[in-house]
Amino acid sequence: PVGLPTVTIDATADASVRRSAPDTNFAAEAQLLGDGGGQEVGDASHALIYLRFPLTEVPGRAVMAKLRLRTHDGSNSQSADAGGLHVVEDPWEEATVTYADRPPPGEMVGTLGAVALGQVCERVLLIDLRARAEVSLVIVPTSVDGAIFCARESAFAPQLIVAYEPE
């Protein structure tokens, strides 16, 4: 909404989970891999990205959120279709989440679409923020054209930009 103040919140948790290593946690990596698969969506190369942002820093009633991600500037980090953005309602922990025990995606609240190398992309999330203490998301790839994003361990942490009505 135009004219409302915003606050930018860095992710407090992020992790990539991979079907090729179903019991491995990749949370300490500086890159987040999202890939539908090598040959077909859901095959051995399937990888999803989990992100979490606290809303406790919002000094008012949160009314709108936008996700900000930066693609890595290394080769093959771009994608013509980087996937869908889904809410995650079940709990997960950054240090322990794996492909084998990942929480399921919930309602789709946005799409990433095409992303270029080293691009900062912002996408509006169609999510009701009332009564939420945090926003937990999963990027679910919708094609075999994967993307690599910068993790919070990099210089370009994923961010949530929240518009709010002051109290």
Side-chain angles (χ1 to χ4, degrees):
V2 177
L4 288 180
T6 62
V7 62
T8 301
I9 303 165
D10 288 343
T12 55
D14 63 14
S16 180
V17 298
R18 304 175 191 167
R19 186 172 188 180
S20 61
D23 299 315
T24 303
N25 175 269
F26 295 97
E29 294 187 356
Q31 299 172 8
L32 298 166
L33 170 66
D35 196 348
Q39 300 299 316
E40 61 184 49
V41 174
D43 70 14
S45 297
H46 193 234
L48 297 93
I49 298 169
Y50 285 83
L51 305 165
R52 184 169 46 236
F53 305 90
L55 293 179
T56 53
E57 298 176 28
V58 180
R61 187 175 74 81
V63 294
M64 192 272 300
K66 207 174 355 179
L67 177 65
R68 178 186 289 157
L69 296 170
R70 184 181 185 276
T71 52
H72 188 263
D73 53 10
S75 65
N76 297 319
S77 294
Q78 75 279 6
S79 176
D81 181 6
L85 301 164
H86 295 254
V87 173
V88 176
E89 301 294 354
D90 292 346
W92 59 277
E93 293 301 323
E94 179 182 52
T96 59
V97 68
T98 66
Y99 192 90
D101 69 2
R102 70 195 187 279
E107 178 185 1
M108 184 181 220
V109 295
T111 59
L112 285 171
V115 293
L117 285 178
Q119 174 190 5
V120 174
C121 58
E122 293 183 356
R123 303 295 187 264
V124 172
L125 302 177
L126 304 174
I127 182 173
D128 184 357
L129 298 171
R130 292 176 293 189
R132 285 191 181 271
E134 68 180 24
V135 172
S136 184
L137 302 168
V138 61
I139 300 173
V140 179
T142 50
S143 76
V144 295
D145 188 12
I148 301 173
F149 296 97
C150 296
R152 70 191 196 101
E153 292 77 10
S154 75
F156 304 100
Q159 296 178 316
L160 193 68
I161 303 162
V162 179
Y164 63 92
E165 295 174 343
E167 293 183 334

